Amino acid sequence: MDITIPLIVGSAVIDSVNPCAFAVLIFLILYLMTVRNKKKMLFFGLVYIFVIFLVYFTAGLGLLSFVKSIALTKFFYHFTAGLAIILGLINLKDFFWYGKGITLQIPKSQKERLDKYIKRATLPATIILGVLVALFELPCTGGVYLAIISLLADKQTWWSAFFNLLVYNIVFVLPLLVILVAVYKGLPPEKVEKWRQEKKKWMKLSIGLVLVLLGVIMLLI
């Protein structure tokens, strides 16, 4: 299986359709708009997105380096393939029975904690929010990311893998940038939130299908 740019970009696009990150960004924008300061909204939104990118990229790079350094690529590869299938099936379950049984989402116990930082709307709070969301959202779509990292670790040199991981994470945050700029230009954030709620199940379906497909392909090649 060749690791191509279309594969990296396509996987990142699916991973970026993430209800968790979308939700917190929209809540942040809604709060900042109540203070009627669009420049502040844009600045804090950019900081939030950059922090998510930095945490996601650093975590992926650290895991990639760790797996390569201790020669665990084959074990990690097959473990991740199996995990991708399991996480994919959970996402597919959510398409039909959302919220029942095991569900991949930000833990309810942490939502109040996130809400506290959202309402502060300060630079330190925004940075902390970005770090927490990046960590908490991994259960939502981390399967795709792990599958790509295992493919890169198994089939590419370190520098090639580094480049592809960078491309992946840039694509991953692009939808958040598009939403932020659109709201800054006048799109009501309530419409974005309504769209997210309406399409949440379909996001789960797309992520689930990609995870199962990736896992099966990885086990077969």
Side-chain angles (χ1 to χ4, degrees), residues 16-30 33 38 41-42 45-46 48-49 171-197 199 203:
S16 67
V17 183
N18 184 344
C20 304
F22 275 19
V24 179
L25 177 64
I26 291 165
F27 294 153
L28 177 64
I29 292 171
L30 279 170
M33 290 192 72
K38 296 188 75 173
M41 178 200 75
L42 181 63
L46 289 172
Y48 167 82
I49 293 171
V171 175
F172 176 74
V173 298
L174 279 180
L176 297 180
L177 285 169
V178 170
I179 289 174
L180 180 63
V181 172
V183 172
Y184 178 74
K185 293 292 186 180
L187 176 68
E190 295 88 348
K191 286 189 176 181
V192 183
E193 172 61 6
K194 182 180 178 182
W195 176 86
R196 186 190 71 86
Q197 291 290 347
K199 304 300 182 183
M203 294 179 189

mmCIF file of all heavy atoms in Angstrom, residues 16-30 33 38 41-42 45-46 48-49 171-197 199 203:
data_model
loop_
_atom_site.group_PDB
_atom_site.id
_atom_site.type_symbol
_atom_site.label_atom_id
_atom_site.label_comp_id
_atom_site.label_asym_id
_atom_site.label_seq_id
_atom_site.Cartn_x
_atom_site.Cartn_y
_atom_site.Cartn_z
ATOM 1 N N SER A 16 -11.017 15.442 10.141
ATOM 2 C CA SER A 16 -11.313 16.829 10.518
ATOM 3 C C SER A 16 -12.805 17.080 10.678
ATOM 4 O O SER A 16 -13.204 18.080 11.272
ATOM 5 C CB SER A 16 -10.743 17.793 9.469
ATOM 6 O OG SER A 16 -11.425 17.660 8.242
ATOM 7 N N VAL A 17 -13.633 16.193 10.114
ATOM 8 C CA VAL A 17 -15.081 16.322 10.291
ATOM 9 C C VAL A 17 -15.402 15.795 11.685
ATOM 10 O O VAL A 17 -15.923 14.705 11.863
ATOM 11 C CB VAL A 17 -15.853 15.534 9.206
ATOM 12 C CG1 VAL A 17 -17.350 15.748 9.361
ATOM 13 C CG2 VAL A 17 -15.413 15.957 7.826
ATOM 14 N N ASN A 18 -15.064 16.611 12.664
ATOM 15 C CA ASN A 18 -15.025 16.177 14.052
ATOM 16 C C ASN A 18 -16.001 16.981 14.902
ATOM 17 O O ASN A 18 -15.766 18.160 15.158
ATOM 18 C CB ASN A 18 -13.594 16.360 14.566
ATOM 19 C CG ASN A 18 -13.403 15.852 15.967
ATOM 20 O OD1 ASN A 18 -14.357 15.618 16.698
ATOM 21 N ND2 ASN A 18 -12.164 15.687 16.357
ATOM 22 N N PRO A 19 -17.116 16.393 15.324
ATOM 23 C CA PRO A 19 -18.097 17.136 16.133
ATOM 24 C C PRO A 19 -17.507 17.756 17.387
ATOM 25 O O PRO A 19 -17.952 18.810 17.828
ATOM 26 C CB PRO A 19 -19.141 16.053 16.479
ATOM 27 C CG PRO A 19 -18.990 15.015 15.427
ATOM 28 C CD PRO A 19 -17.525 15.008 15.076
ATOM 29 N N CYS A 20 -16.497 17.111 17.965
ATOM 30 C CA CYS A 20 -15.913 17.617 19.222
ATOM 31 C C CYS A 20 -15.246 18.981 19.019
ATOM 32 O O CYS A 20 -15.550 19.954 19.705
ATOM 33 C CB CYS A 20 -14.888 16.631 19.755
ATOM 34 S SG CYS A 20 -15.519 14.968 20.018
ATOM 35 N N ALA A 21 -14.324 19.059 18.059
ATOM 36 C CA ALA A 21 -13.597 20.309 17.823
ATOM 37 C C ALA A 21 -14.527 21.389 17.291
ATOM 38 O O ALA A 21 -14.422 22.560 17.660
ATOM 39 C CB ALA A 21 -12.454 20.073 16.841
ATOM 40 N N PHE A 22 -15.462 21.001 16.403
ATOM 41 C CA PHE A 22 -16.430 21.954 15.880
ATOM 42 C C PHE A 22 -17.236 22.578 17.007
ATOM 43 O O PHE A 22 -17.445 23.791 17.056
ATOM 44 C CB PHE A 22 -17.392 21.253 14.912
ATOM 45 C CG PHE A 22 -16.869 21.152 13.500
ATOM 46 C CD1 PHE A 22 -15.517 21.293 13.232
ATOM 47 C CD2 PHE A 22 -17.726 20.914 12.444
ATOM 48 C CE1 PHE A 22 -15.037 21.190 11.938
ATOM 49 C CE2 PHE A 22 -17.255 20.811 11.141
ATOM 50 C CZ PHE A 22 -15.899 20.949 10.902
ATOM 51 N N ALA A 23 -17.712 21.744 17.922
ATOM 52 C CA ALA A 23 -18.583 22.225 18.990
ATOM 53 C C ALA A 23 -17.892 23.255 19.860
ATOM 54 O O ALA A 23 -18.440 24.333 20.123
ATOM 55 C CB ALA A 23 -19.056 21.049 19.839
ATOM 56 N N VAL A 24 -16.671 22.969 20.302
ATOM 57 C CA VAL A 24 -15.983 23.880 21.214
ATOM 58 C C VAL A 24 -15.609 25.178 20.513
ATOM 59 O O VAL A 24 -15.675 26.258 21.101
ATOM 60 C CB VAL A 24 -14.747 23.201 21.831
ATOM 61 C CG1 VAL A 24 -14.015 24.152 22.756
ATOM 62 C CG2 VAL A 24 -15.170 21.963 22.610
ATOM 63 N N LEU A 25 -15.218 25.099 19.231
ATOM 64 C CA LEU A 25 -14.916 26.324 18.487
ATOM 65 C C LEU A 25 -16.158 27.202 18.372
ATOM 66 O O LEU A 25 -16.105 28.419 18.580
ATOM 67 C CB LEU A 25 -14.389 25.989 17.085
ATOM 68 C CG LEU A 25 -14.123 27.209 16.205
ATOM 69 C CD1 LEU A 25 -13.017 28.077 16.796
ATOM 70 C CD2 LEU A 25 -13.760 26.798 14.784
ATOM 71 N N ILE A 26 -17.297 26.585 18.075
ATOM 72 C CA ILE A 26 -18.537 27.360 17.921
ATOM 73 C C ILE A 26 -18.946 27.989 19.250
ATOM 74 O O ILE A 26 -19.359 29.154 19.298
ATOM 75 C CB ILE A 26 -19.653 26.454 17.373
ATOM 76 C CG1 ILE A 26 -19.334 26.076 15.916
ATOM 77 C CG2 ILE A 26 -21.015 27.138 17.449
ATOM 78 C CD1 ILE A 26 -20.146 24.937 15.374
ATOM 79 N N PHE A 27 -18.826 27.241 20.351
ATOM 80 C CA PHE A 27 -19.154 27.796 21.657
ATOM 81 C C PHE A 27 -18.240 28.976 21.996
ATOM 82 O O PHE A 27 -18.680 29.983 22.550
ATOM 83 C CB PHE A 27 -19.023 26.724 22.746
ATOM 84 C CG PHE A 27 -20.014 25.609 22.619
ATOM 85 C CD1 PHE A 27 -19.729 24.352 23.111
ATOM 86 C CD2 PHE A 27 -21.236 25.815 21.993
ATOM 87 C CE1 PHE A 27 -20.631 23.316 22.996
ATOM 88 C CE2 PHE A 27 -22.147 24.788 21.864
ATOM 89 C CZ PHE A 27 -21.852 23.531 22.366
ATOM 90 N N LEU A 28 -16.968 28.855 21.649
ATOM 91 C CA LEU A 28 -16.022 29.947 21.885
ATOM 92 C C LEU A 28 -16.407 31.180 21.072
ATOM 93 O O LEU A 28 -16.440 32.301 21.591
ATOM 94 C CB LEU A 28 -14.605 29.501 21.529
ATOM 95 C CG LEU A 28 -13.498 30.553 21.664
ATOM 96 C CD1 LEU A 28 -13.339 30.975 23.111
ATOM 97 C CD2 LEU A 28 -12.181 30.023 21.122
ATOM 98 N N ILE A 29 -16.733 30.983 19.810
ATOM 99 C CA ILE A 29 -17.123 32.098 18.943
ATOM 100 C C ILE A 29 -18.400 32.754 19.448
ATOM 101 O O ILE A 29 -18.519 33.986 19.485
ATOM 102 C CB ILE A 29 -17.305 31.609 17.493
ATOM 103 C CG1 ILE A 29 -15.942 31.205 16.910
ATOM 104 C CG2 ILE A 29 -17.940 32.694 16.619
ATOM 105 C CD1 ILE A 29 -16.038 30.518 15.565
ATOM 106 N N LEU A 30 -19.375 31.942 19.852
ATOM 107 C CA LEU A 30 -20.641 32.485 20.366
ATOM 108 C C LEU A 30 -20.391 33.382 21.572
ATOM 109 O O LEU A 30 -20.974 34.462 21.681
ATOM 110 C CB LEU A 30 -21.583 31.339 20.753
ATOM 111 C CG LEU A 30 -22.367 30.675 19.619
ATOM 112 C CD1 LEU A 30 -23.044 29.414 20.120
ATOM 113 C CD2 LEU A 30 -23.394 31.641 19.039
ATOM 114 N N MET A 33 -18.615 36.666 20.572
ATOM 115 C CA MET A 33 -19.495 37.594 19.854
ATOM 116 C C MET A 33 -20.399 38.360 20.808
ATOM 117 O O MET A 33 -20.900 39.436 20.470
ATOM 118 C CB MET A 33 -20.322 36.850 18.811
ATOM 119 C CG MET A 33 -19.497 36.339 17.629
ATOM 120 S SD MET A 33 -20.488 35.774 16.230
ATOM 121 C CE MET A 33 -21.087 37.343 15.592
ATOM 122 N N LYS A 38 -15.012 41.558 17.258
ATOM 123 C CA LYS A 38 -14.729 40.553 16.236
ATOM 124 C C LYS A 38 -13.230 40.311 16.078
ATOM 125 O O LYS A 38 -12.810 39.199 15.754
ATOM 126 C CB LYS A 38 -15.347 40.977 14.903
ATOM 127 C CG LYS A 38 -16.863 41.054 14.945
ATOM 128 C CD LYS A 38 -17.470 41.276 13.570
ATOM 129 C CE LYS A 38 -17.436 40.019 12.742
ATOM 130 N NZ LYS A 38 -18.166 40.148 11.470
ATOM 131 N N MET A 41 -12.356 37.928 18.739
ATOM 132 C CA MET A 41 -12.882 36.629 18.344
ATOM 133 C C MET A 41 -11.952 35.944 17.352
ATOM 134 O O MET A 41 -11.613 34.765 17.495
ATOM 135 C CB MET A 41 -14.262 36.786 17.708
ATOM 136 C CG MET A 41 -14.879 35.491 17.210
ATOM 137 S SD MET A 41 -16.194 35.774 15.993
ATOM 138 C CE MET A 41 -15.210 36.218 14.557
ATOM 139 N N LEU A 42 -11.500 36.698 16.347
ATOM 140 C CA LEU A 42 -10.617 36.134 15.327
ATOM 141 C C LEU A 42 -9.275 35.727 15.928
ATOM 142 O O LEU A 42 -8.766 34.625 15.651
ATOM 143 C CB LEU A 42 -10.402 37.156 14.207
ATOM 144 C CG LEU A 42 -9.508 36.700 13.042
ATOM 145 C CD1 LEU A 42 -10.134 35.521 12.311
ATOM 146 C CD2 LEU A 42 -9.275 37.865 12.066
ATOM 147 N N GLY A 45 -9.688 32.726 18.247
ATOM 148 C CA GLY A 45 -10.008 31.562 17.431
ATOM 149 C C GLY A 45 -8.775 31.003 16.743
ATOM 150 O O GLY A 45 -8.579 29.786 16.684
ATOM 151 N N LEU A 46 -7.925 31.888 16.225
ATOM 152 C CA LEU A 46 -6.681 31.453 15.572
ATOM 153 C C LEU A 46 -5.727 30.798 16.571
ATOM 154 O O LEU A 46 -5.070 29.795 16.262
ATOM 155 C CB LEU A 46 -6.002 32.645 14.892
ATOM 156 C CG LEU A 46 -6.693 33.182 13.638
ATOM 157 C CD1 LEU A 46 -6.022 34.477 13.173
ATOM 158 C CD2 LEU A 46 -6.654 32.144 12.510
ATOM 159 N N TYR A 48 -6.600 29.256 19.326
ATOM 160 C CA TYR A 48 -7.217 27.968 19.659
ATOM 161 C C TYR A 48 -6.897 26.922 18.594
ATOM 162 O O TYR A 48 -6.482 25.793 18.909
ATOM 163 C CB TYR A 48 -8.721 28.177 19.795
ATOM 164 C CG TYR A 48 -9.559 26.926 19.831
ATOM 165 C CD1 TYR A 48 -9.724 26.198 21.014
ATOM 166 C CD2 TYR A 48 -10.216 26.477 18.692
ATOM 167 C CE1 TYR A 48 -10.506 25.064 21.043
ATOM 168 C CE2 TYR A 48 -10.998 25.348 18.723
ATOM 169 C CZ TYR A 48 -11.145 24.646 19.895
ATOM 170 O OH TYR A 48 -11.923 23.520 19.919
ATOM 171 N N ILE A 49 -7.051 27.277 17.332
ATOM 172 C CA ILE A 49 -6.809 26.338 16.227
ATOM 173 C C ILE A 49 -5.330 25.978 16.147
ATOM 174 O O ILE A 49 -4.970 24.817 15.928
ATOM 175 C CB ILE A 49 -7.307 26.939 14.901
ATOM 176 C CG1 ILE A 49 -8.823 27.055 14.932
ATOM 177 C CG2 ILE A 49 -6.869 26.077 13.713
ATOM 178 C CD1 ILE A 49 -9.413 27.845 13.761
ATOM 179 N N VAL A 171 -4.171 19.904 6.960
ATOM 180 C CA VAL A 171 -5.503 19.634 6.403
ATOM 181 C C VAL A 171 -6.523 19.447 7.527
ATOM 182 O O VAL A 171 -7.676 19.883 7.419
ATOM 183 C CB VAL A 171 -5.471 18.397 5.485
ATOM 184 C CG1 VAL A 171 -6.875 18.034 4.998
ATOM 185 C CG2 VAL A 171 -4.544 18.632 4.295
ATOM 186 N N PHE A 172 -6.082 18.820 8.612
ATOM 187 C CA PHE A 172 -6.977 18.525 9.735
ATOM 188 C C PHE A 172 -7.624 19.788 10.314
ATOM 189 O O PHE A 172 -8.798 19.781 10.697
ATOM 190 C CB PHE A 172 -6.198 17.786 10.826
ATOM 191 C CG PHE A 172 -6.978 17.511 12.071
ATOM 192 C CD1 PHE A 172 -7.946 16.523 12.102
ATOM 193 C CD2 PHE A 172 -6.748 18.254 13.225
ATOM 194 C CE1 PHE A 172 -8.676 16.273 13.259
ATOM 195 C CE2 PHE A 172 -7.466 18.007 14.384
ATOM 196 C CZ PHE A 172 -8.428 17.013 14.398
ATOM 197 N N VAL A 173 -6.857 20.901 10.396
ATOM 198 C CA VAL A 173 -7.403 22.116 11.019
ATOM 199 C C VAL A 173 -8.049 23.066 10.004
ATOM 200 O O VAL A 173 -8.632 24.083 10.402
ATOM 201 C CB VAL A 173 -6.311 22.867 11.811
ATOM 202 C CG1 VAL A 173 -5.780 22.019 12.941
ATOM 203 C CG2 VAL A 173 -5.180 23.339 10.908
ATOM 204 N N LEU A 174 -7.956 22.760 8.719
ATOM 205 C CA LEU A 174 -8.513 23.666 7.706
ATOM 206 C C LEU A 174 -10.012 23.933 7.892
ATOM 207 O O LEU A 174 -10.448 25.093 7.771
ATOM 208 C CB LEU A 174 -8.239 23.124 6.298
ATOM 209 C CG LEU A 174 -6.843 23.395 5.734
ATOM 210 C CD1 LEU A 174 -6.709 22.795 4.336
ATOM 211 C CD2 LEU A 174 -6.544 24.895 5.694
ATOM 212 N N PRO A 175 -10.853 22.914 8.153
ATOM 213 C CA PRO A 175 -12.278 23.210 8.355
ATOM 214 C C PRO A 175 -12.536 24.183 9.499
ATOM 215 O O PRO A 175 -13.446 25.014 9.417
ATOM 216 C CB PRO A 175 -12.878 21.828 8.649
ATOM 217 C CG PRO A 175 -11.960 20.866 7.994
ATOM 218 C CD PRO A 175 -10.600 21.465 8.162
ATOM 219 N N LEU A 176 -11.736 24.095 10.566
ATOM 220 C CA LEU A 176 -11.892 25.033 11.677
ATOM 221 C C LEU A 176 -11.544 26.452 11.237
ATOM 222 O O LEU A 176 -12.212 27.420 11.633
ATOM 223 C CB LEU A 176 -11.002 24.618 12.845
ATOM 224 C CG LEU A 176 -11.303 23.265 13.494
ATOM 225 C CD1 LEU A 176 -10.337 22.999 14.631
ATOM 226 C CD2 LEU A 176 -12.732 23.209 13.992
ATOM 227 N N LEU A 177 -10.510 26.590 10.411
ATOM 228 C CA LEU A 177 -10.145 27.907 9.888
ATOM 229 C C LEU A 177 -11.249 28.471 9.003
ATOM 230 O O LEU A 177 -11.571 29.663 9.068
ATOM 231 C CB LEU A 177 -8.832 27.814 9.100
ATOM 232 C CG LEU A 177 -7.554 27.667 9.924
ATOM 233 C CD1 LEU A 177 -6.373 27.328 9.018
ATOM 234 C CD2 LEU A 177 -7.260 28.950 10.700
ATOM 235 N N VAL A 178 -11.825 27.613 8.165
ATOM 236 C CA VAL A 178 -12.905 28.052 7.271
ATOM 237 C C VAL A 178 -14.095 28.547 8.089
ATOM 238 O O VAL A 178 -14.675 29.603 7.796
ATOM 239 C CB VAL A 178 -13.333 26.894 6.339
ATOM 240 C CG1 VAL A 178 -14.614 27.256 5.585
ATOM 241 C CG2 VAL A 178 -12.218 26.570 5.350
ATOM 242 N N ILE A 179 -14.472 27.805 9.128
ATOM 243 C CA ILE A 179 -15.595 28.202 9.975
ATOM 244 C C ILE A 179 -15.301 29.525 10.678
ATOM 245 O O ILE A 179 -16.145 30.432 10.730
ATOM 246 C CB ILE A 179 -15.893 27.110 11.019
ATOM 247 C CG1 ILE A 179 -16.506 25.888 10.330
ATOM 248 C CG2 ILE A 179 -16.847 27.627 12.096
ATOM 249 C CD1 ILE A 179 -16.691 24.707 11.247
ATOM 250 N N LEU A 180 -14.092 29.660 11.216
ATOM 251 C CA LEU A 180 -13.721 30.884 11.937
ATOM 252 C C LEU A 180 -13.787 32.105 11.021
ATOM 253 O O LEU A 180 -14.361 33.139 11.386
ATOM 254 C CB LEU A 180 -12.315 30.730 12.517
ATOM 255 C CG LEU A 180 -11.775 31.936 13.297
ATOM 256 C CD1 LEU A 180 -12.632 32.196 14.525
ATOM 257 C CD2 LEU A 180 -10.322 31.717 13.698
ATOM 258 N N VAL A 181 -13.203 31.993 9.825
ATOM 259 C CA VAL A 181 -13.208 33.116 8.884
ATOM 260 C C VAL A 181 -14.627 33.430 8.437
ATOM 261 O O VAL A 181 -15.016 34.607 8.313
ATOM 262 C CB VAL A 181 -12.307 32.808 7.669
ATOM 263 C CG1 VAL A 181 -12.456 33.887 6.599
ATOM 264 C CG2 VAL A 181 -10.849 32.705 8.106
ATOM 265 N N ALA A 182 -15.436 32.394 8.189
ATOM 266 C CA ALA A 182 -16.824 32.605 7.743
ATOM 267 C C ALA A 182 -17.627 33.348 8.802
ATOM 268 O O ALA A 182 -18.394 34.271 8.483
ATOM 269 C CB ALA A 182 -17.474 31.264 7.421
ATOM 270 N N VAL A 183 -17.448 32.976 10.076
ATOM 271 C CA VAL A 183 -18.160 33.667 11.161
ATOM 272 C C VAL A 183 -17.646 35.094 11.305
ATOM 273 O O VAL A 183 -18.418 36.029 11.526
ATOM 274 C CB VAL A 183 -18.008 32.885 12.485
ATOM 275 C CG1 VAL A 183 -18.578 33.684 13.657
ATOM 276 C CG2 VAL A 183 -18.711 31.537 12.391
ATOM 277 N N TYR A 184 -16.345 35.285 11.153
ATOM 278 C CA TYR A 184 -15.757 36.630 11.213
ATOM 279 C C TYR A 184 -16.321 37.528 10.116
ATOM 280 O O TYR A 184 -16.544 38.728 10.326
ATOM 281 C CB TYR A 184 -14.238 36.531 11.088
ATOM 282 C CG TYR A 184 -13.531 37.860 11.096
ATOM 283 C CD1 TYR A 184 -13.397 38.599 12.274
ATOM 284 C CD2 TYR A 184 -12.991 38.389 9.922
ATOM 285 C CE1 TYR A 184 -12.747 39.823 12.287
ATOM 286 C CE2 TYR A 184 -12.346 39.612 9.929
ATOM 287 C CZ TYR A 184 -12.214 40.329 11.110
ATOM 288 O OH TYR A 184 -11.578 41.542 11.110
ATOM 289 N N LYS A 185 -16.598 36.928 8.948
ATOM 290 C CA LYS A 185 -17.138 37.685 7.821
ATOM 291 C C LYS A 185 -18.647 37.901 7.913
ATOM 292 O O LYS A 185 -19.216 38.620 7.095
ATOM 293 C CB LYS A 185 -16.813 36.965 6.510
ATOM 294 C CG LYS A 185 -15.332 36.930 6.156
ATOM 295 C CD LYS A 185 -14.808 38.306 5.820
ATOM 296 C CE LYS A 185 -13.359 38.232 5.327
ATOM 297 N NZ LYS A 185 -12.820 39.575 4.997
ATOM 298 N N GLY A 186 -19.290 37.274 8.884
ATOM 299 C CA GLY A 186 -20.711 37.550 9.071
ATOM 300 C C GLY A 186 -21.633 36.349 9.135
ATOM 301 O O GLY A 186 -22.832 36.507 9.368
ATOM 302 N N LEU A 187 -21.130 35.144 8.922
ATOM 303 C CA LEU A 187 -21.987 33.962 9.007
ATOM 304 C C LEU A 187 -22.401 33.747 10.463
ATOM 305 O O LEU A 187 -21.542 33.632 11.334
ATOM 306 C CB LEU A 187 -21.249 32.720 8.493
ATOM 307 C CG LEU A 187 -21.994 31.384 8.608
ATOM 308 C CD1 LEU A 187 -23.195 31.368 7.670
ATOM 309 C CD2 LEU A 187 -21.068 30.220 8.313
ATOM 310 N N PRO A 188 -23.716 33.673 10.743
ATOM 311 C CA PRO A 188 -24.151 33.464 12.133
ATOM 312 C C PRO A 188 -23.658 32.116 12.663
ATOM 313 O O PRO A 188 -23.899 31.078 12.034
ATOM 314 C CB PRO A 188 -25.687 33.467 12.032
ATOM 315 C CG PRO A 188 -25.976 34.199 10.760
ATOM 316 C CD PRO A 188 -24.840 33.864 9.828
ATOM 317 N N PRO A 189 -22.956 32.116 13.786
ATOM 318 C CA PRO A 189 -22.457 30.850 14.333
ATOM 319 C C PRO A 189 -23.571 29.887 14.697
ATOM 320 O O PRO A 189 -23.364 28.680 14.734
ATOM 321 C CB PRO A 189 -21.657 31.285 15.562
ATOM 322 C CG PRO A 189 -22.153 32.638 15.897
ATOM 323 C CD PRO A 189 -22.570 33.268 14.611
ATOM 324 N N GLU A 190 -24.777 30.431 14.972
ATOM 325 C CA GLU A 190 -25.907 29.560 15.284
ATOM 326 C C GLU A 190 -26.221 28.632 14.112
ATOM 327 O O GLU A 190 -26.616 27.482 14.306
ATOM 328 C CB GLU A 190 -27.152 30.399 15.621
ATOM 329 C CG GLU A 190 -27.025 31.230 16.885
ATOM 330 C CD GLU A 190 -26.416 32.603 16.610
ATOM 331 O OE1 GLU A 190 -25.889 32.812 15.486
ATOM 332 O OE2 GLU A 190 -26.469 33.451 17.506
ATOM 333 N N LYS A 191 -26.032 29.135 12.868
ATOM 334 C CA LYS A 191 -26.277 28.314 11.686
ATOM 335 C C LYS A 191 -25.257 27.193 11.581
ATOM 336 O O LYS A 191 -25.586 26.068 11.183
ATOM 337 C CB LYS A 191 -26.237 29.183 10.420
ATOM 338 C CG LYS A 191 -27.446 30.074 10.235
ATOM 339 C CD LYS A 191 -27.433 30.732 8.865
ATOM 340 C CE LYS A 191 -28.697 31.540 8.636
ATOM 341 N NZ LYS A 191 -28.714 32.174 7.276
ATOM 342 N N VAL A 192 -24.005 27.505 11.937
ATOM 343 C CA VAL A 192 -22.960 26.482 11.907
ATOM 344 C C VAL A 192 -23.263 25.399 12.937
ATOM 345 O O VAL A 192 -23.129 24.206 12.661
ATOM 346 C CB VAL A 192 -21.580 27.097 12.184
ATOM 347 C CG1 VAL A 192 -20.493 26.035 12.082
ATOM 348 C CG2 VAL A 192 -21.291 28.237 11.217
ATOM 349 N N GLU A 193 -23.697 25.808 14.125
ATOM 350 C CA GLU A 193 -24.035 24.851 15.173
ATOM 351 C C GLU A 193 -25.243 24.009 14.766
ATOM 352 O O GLU A 193 -25.270 22.793 15.014
ATOM 353 C CB GLU A 193 -24.299 25.582 16.485
ATOM 354 C CG GLU A 193 -24.840 24.705 17.611
ATOM 355 C CD GLU A 193 -23.897 23.589 18.012
ATOM 356 O OE1 GLU A 193 -22.758 23.530 17.521
ATOM 357 O OE2 GLU A 193 -24.314 22.741 18.812
ATOM 358 N N LYS A 194 -26.239 24.627 14.140
ATOM 359 C CA LYS A 194 -27.407 23.879 13.672
ATOM 360 C C LYS A 194 -26.991 22.842 12.633
ATOM 361 O O LYS A 194 -27.443 21.695 12.658
ATOM 362 C CB LYS A 194 -28.435 24.839 13.072
ATOM 363 C CG LYS A 194 -29.712 24.149 12.600
ATOM 364 C CD LYS A 194 -30.690 25.146 12.010
ATOM 365 C CE LYS A 194 -31.935 24.426 11.501
ATOM 366 N NZ LYS A 194 -32.897 25.377 10.866
ATOM 367 N N TRP A 195 -26.090 23.257 11.715
ATOM 368 C CA TRP A 195 -25.601 22.325 10.699
ATOM 369 C C TRP A 195 -24.852 21.175 11.354
ATOM 370 O O TRP A 195 -25.006 20.013 10.967
ATOM 371 C CB TRP A 195 -24.689 23.066 9.725
ATOM 372 C CG TRP A 195 -24.051 22.177 8.703
ATOM 373 C CD1 TRP A 195 -24.575 21.782 7.506
ATOM 374 C CD2 TRP A 195 -22.759 21.545 8.797
ATOM 375 N NE1 TRP A 195 -23.702 20.953 6.844
ATOM 376 C CE2 TRP A 195 -22.582 20.791 7.604
ATOM 377 C CE3 TRP A 195 -21.743 21.547 9.748
ATOM 378 C CZ2 TRP A 195 -21.430 20.050 7.363
ATOM 379 C CZ3 TRP A 195 -20.598 20.803 9.514
ATOM 380 C CH2 TRP A 195 -20.453 20.064 8.327
ATOM 381 N N ARG A 196 -24.025 21.480 12.359
ATOM 382 C CA ARG A 196 -23.260 20.434 13.043
ATOM 383 C C ARG A 196 -24.188 19.420 13.703
ATOM 384 O O ARG A 196 -23.964 18.204 13.618
ATOM 385 C CB ARG A 196 -22.340 21.051 14.096
ATOM 386 C CG ARG A 196 -21.407 20.045 14.766
ATOM 387 C CD ARG A 196 -20.710 20.667 15.954
ATOM 388 N NE ARG A 196 -21.614 20.879 17.067
ATOM 389 C CZ ARG A 196 -21.895 19.944 17.984
ATOM 390 N NH1 ARG A 196 -21.348 18.749 17.905
ATOM 391 N NH2 ARG A 196 -22.719 20.214 18.974
ATOM 392 N N GLN A 197 -25.233 19.912 14.353
ATOM 393 C CA GLN A 197 -26.174 19.013 15.016
ATOM 394 C C GLN A 197 -26.911 18.123 14.006
ATOM 395 O O GLN A 197 -27.124 16.933 14.245
ATOM 396 C CB GLN A 197 -27.186 19.821 15.838
ATOM 397 C CG GLN A 197 -26.607 20.510 17.057
ATOM 398 C CD GLN A 197 -26.210 19.537 18.150
ATOM 399 O OE1 GLN A 197 -26.558 18.369 18.122
ATOM 400 N NE2 GLN A 197 -25.444 20.019 19.127
ATOM 401 N N LYS A 199 -25.870 17.211 11.039
ATOM 402 C CA LYS A 199 -24.980 16.307 10.299
ATOM 403 C C LYS A 199 -24.139 15.421 11.218
ATOM 404 O O LYS A 199 -23.314 14.652 10.711
ATOM 405 C CB LYS A 199 -24.042 17.120 9.398
ATOM 406 C CG LYS A 199 -24.751 18.064 8.427
ATOM 407 C CD LYS A 199 -25.667 17.320 7.476
ATOM 408 C CE LYS A 199 -26.327 18.277 6.502
ATOM 409 N NZ LYS A 199 -27.291 17.586 5.603
ATOM 410 N N MET A 203 -21.481 12.514 10.121
ATOM 411 C CA MET A 203 -20.053 12.587 10.424
ATOM 412 C C MET A 203 -19.586 11.270 11.038
ATOM 413 O O MET A 203 -18.531 10.733 10.680
ATOM 414 C CB MET A 203 -19.771 13.737 11.405
ATOM 415 C CG MET A 203 -20.017 15.121 10.866
ATOM 416 S SD MET A 203 -19.683 16.371 12.144
ATOM 417 C CE MET A 203 -20.307 17.850 11.347
#
